[in-house]
Amino acid sequence: MKLLPVTVALLALFLVASYQDLTVAADGAAAVPDSVCDGKCKKRCSQKVAGRCMGLCKMCCGRCAGCVPSGPFASKDECPCYRDMKSPKSGRPKCP
């Protein structure tokens, strides 16, 4: 009976460590080099005020595994992740 609490504690520790490894692996899987997003966002933001557009575009590009619509007037339907990202406060589209 004395081993039961120790066994449960070790099992819980193992499960927590395994979960952390999985979340770190999932976060690193979608990493996109900055150079990829820079080029795509320069093209996407070429007709807009660059500062705000570039910042939002790079954030969206990073979260969407490098997917950015192909030009300044291209349809967001090219990238569903980019299209569906919404601002949490207003619910408006987040990506330019």
Side-chain angles (χ1 to χ4, degrees):
M1 289 306 264
K2 291 181 181 180
L3 290 177
L4 184 60
V6 173
T7 304
V8 170
L10 287 174
L11 182 61
L13 183 62
F14 175 76
L15 291 173
V16 168
S18 296
Y19 177 74
Q20 287 177 342
D21 287 343
L22 289 173
T23 56
V24 167
D27 288 344
V32 178
D34 288 340
S35 60
V36 172
C37 289
D38 283 345
K40 290 181 176 188
C41 288
K42 280 182 184 175
K43 190 173 181 182
R44 179 72 178 170
C45 295
S46 64
Q47 301 287 319
K48 299 180 181 177
V49 177
R52 186 167 185 209
C53 182
M54 285 293 288
L56 290 171
C57 181
K58 286 181 183 180
M59 181 201 61
C60 294
C61 177
R63 289 186 184 174
C64 294
C67 189
V68 174
S70 59
F73 302 108
S75 173
K76 289 184 182 180
D77 290 333
E78 291 179 22
C79 300
C81 170
Y82 193 95
R83 174 195 67 212
D84 296 339
M85 202 176 298
K86 305 288 184 203
S87 171
K89 292 180 183 177
S90 66
R92 293 173 38 198
K94 189 170 200 89
C95 304

